[in-house]
Amino acid sequence: MQLLDKSITDLGFVLCPTLILNLYIERACCKSLKILDFIKHITTEVKLASSLKTLYCLLVRSILEYGCHLGS
């Protein structure tokens, strides 16, 4: 929990003094899993793969890809 006390959140990124992105990655994964579960819940009757892919790309994939170049 020491990293959480000294971390800074800027533009959605959680940065700690050592510049390890573990906190940011953990939060992004949790957020995307929650949205994926929500999509799964509201689209139980939707059978079109294109509609599901569009929702996934717009809502989940964008969260996972935001800032992916920061760690590279």
Side-chain angles (χ1 to χ4, degrees):
M1 294 307 289
Q2 289 176 331
L3 292 177
L4 191 58
D5 295 337
K6 298 178 183 178
S7 65
I8 299 171
T9 303
D10 189 24
L11 295 174
F13 294 105
V14 180
L15 301 171
C16 63
T18 58
L19 295 178
I20 298 173
L21 299 175
N22 291 346
L23 293 173
Y24 168 70
I25 293 169
E26 183 179 333
R27 287 185 183 181
C29 289
C30 287
K31 185 176 180 180
S32 62
L33 284 173
K34 287 178 185 178
I35 293 176
L36 186 61
D37 188 44
F38 175 72
I39 291 171
K40 193 170 86 170
H41 178 72
I42 64 169
T43 59
T44 54
E45 297 178 7
V46 176
K47 302 297 181 196
L48 294 173
S50 61
S51 299
L52 295 174
K53 182 180 176 183
T54 302
L55 284 172
Y56 174 80
C57 289
L58 287 174
L59 300 175
V60 178
R61 189 172 156 189
S62 61
I63 293 171
L64 294 174
E65 289 182 350
Y66 178 70
C68 66
H69 299 291
L70 185 66
S72 55

